[in-house]
């Protein structure tokens, strides 16, 4: 169990069964599991950027390496229409399912255990990938091909030393950088597919 905490201007992360605080913040009920509850700087950074994006409204979302599902759930609470959550770890997928139930968004989420190859869906409005920088390099062509033209890619989990390489590669694949945020150890990059 952990104590509730705020992220950004709009979110409050709370454990299941906690008494909800009635205020303007959006409660994200997250069972921690082995995948944290959003306190990691990369998750917090993604949520802070998500809450500023009007494009989330009505979006079809792909969350690669979804873990607890916190990013997809955050996007759905901000008005996204539906999400596909993919994780290679079956425990992560189970935790994500539970968290979707806690947050009342289960009917808008498709869960996939495996890699990107396990879904054929394309034309996503928003792609979330908070995974290691080397994986973002490996998956770059496939990830970019899954976004619609004008769609957004929010990438995090990128150590500083990978930041330039990741940005340059996604730019070569037809994206432009909208935000490049350096954190304590990691970085977050928001791109648009042009």
């Amino acid at each position: 169990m952990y104590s509730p905490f705020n992220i950004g201007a709009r979110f409050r992360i709370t454990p299941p069964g906690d008494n909800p605080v009635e205020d303007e913040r959006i409660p994200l009920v997250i069972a921690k599991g082995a995948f944290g509850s959003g306190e990691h700087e990369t998750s917090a950074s993604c949520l802070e950027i998500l809450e500023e994006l009007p494009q989330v409204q009505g979006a079809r979302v792909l969350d690669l390496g979804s873990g607890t599902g916190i990013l997809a759930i955050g996007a759905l609470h901000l008005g996204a229409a539906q999400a596909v959550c993919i994780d290679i770890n079956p425990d992560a997928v189970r935790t994500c399912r539970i968290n979707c139930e806690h947050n009342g968004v289960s009917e808008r989420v498709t869960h996939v255990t495996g890699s990107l190859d396990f879904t054929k869906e394309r034309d996503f409005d928003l792609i979330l990938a908070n995974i290691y920088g080397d994986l973002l390099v490996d998956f770059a062509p496939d990830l970019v091909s899954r976004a619609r033209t004008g769609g957004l890619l929010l990438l995090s989990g990128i150590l500083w030393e990978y930041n330039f390489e990741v940005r340059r590669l996604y730019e070569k694949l037809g994206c432009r950088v909208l935000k490049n945020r350096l954190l304590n150890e990691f970085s977050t990059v928001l791109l648009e597919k042009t």
Side-chain angles (χ1 to χ4, degrees), residues 50 61-65 71-72 75 126-130 152-155:
L50 274 178
V61 177
L62 171 66
D63 186 354
L64 178 65
L71 300 184
L126 174 62
I127 292 177
L128 308 168
N130 183 10
L152 300 178
L153 295 94
L154 181 56
L155 313 178

Side-chain angles (χ1 to χ4, degrees), residues 83-95:
V84 176
C85 289
I86 303 176
D87 205 292
I88 205 152
N89 184 323
D91 291 334
V93 176
R94 266 192 297 280
T95 302

Side-chain angles (χ1 to χ4, degrees), residues 55-56 58-64 72 80-86 108-110 112 116 118-128 142-154 191-193:
Q55 299 94 322
V56 173
R60 285 183 63 243
V61 177
L62 171 66
D63 186 354
L64 178 65
Q82 60 187 86
V84 176
C85 289
I86 303 176
R108 293 190 282 151
V109 180
T110 304
V112 177
L116 213 41
F118 283 60
T119 181
K120 297 286 172 260
E121 286 196 59
R122 301 203 162 287
D123 293 322
F124 288 98
D125 303 299
L126 174 62
I127 292 177
L128 308 168
D142 200 2
L143 269 183
V144 172
S145 77
R146 304 285 181 136
R148 68 166 175 78
T149 302
L152 300 178
L153 295 94
L154 181 56
L191 304 121
E192 179 185 30
K193 181 176 174 179

Side-chain angles (χ1 to χ4, degrees), residues 6-153:
N6 296 340
I7 290 180
R10 300 187 59 187
F11 291 111
R12 175 178 295 108
I13 315 303
T14 67
D18 202 64
N19 292 327
V21 177
E22 294 302 321
D23 65 9
E24 300 301 303
R25 285 192 175 266
I26 300 167
L28 299 182
V29 182
I30 302 295
K32 211 167 179 163
F35 313 98
S37 53
E39 69 279 348
H40 195 274
E41 65 174 6
T42 59
S43 305
S45 175
C46 288
L47 288 170
E48 287 164 5
I49 290 172
L50 274 178
E51 71 182 12
E52 296 171 356
L53 295 177
Q55 299 94 322
V56 173
Q57 203 63 43
R60 285 183 63 243
V61 177
L62 171 66
D63 186 354
L64 178 65
S66 51
T68 60
I70 190 168
L71 300 184
I73 292 166
L76 290 164
H77 277 305
L78 290 169
Q82 60 187 86
V84 176
C85 289
I86 303 176
D87 205 292
I88 205 152
N89 184 323
D91 291 334
V93 176
R94 266 192 297 280
T95 302
C96 186
R97 273 185 205 280
I98 290 165
N99 286 331
C100 287
E101 285 166 25
H102 287 314
N103 287 276
V105 297
S106 295
E107 71 288 348
R108 293 190 282 151
V109 180
T110 304
H111 298 276
V112 177
T113 306
S115 65
L116 213 41
D117 304 337
F118 283 60
T119 181
K120 297 286 172 260
E121 286 196 59
R122 301 203 162 287
D123 293 322
F124 288 98
D125 303 299
L126 174 62
I127 292 177
L128 308 168
N130 183 10
I131 56 180
Y132 292 114
D134 55 339
L135 295 175
L136 289 170
V137 167
D138 293 346
F139 298 145
D142 200 2
L143 269 183
V144 172
S145 77
R146 304 285 181 136
R148 68 166 175 78
T149 302
L152 300 178
L153 295 94

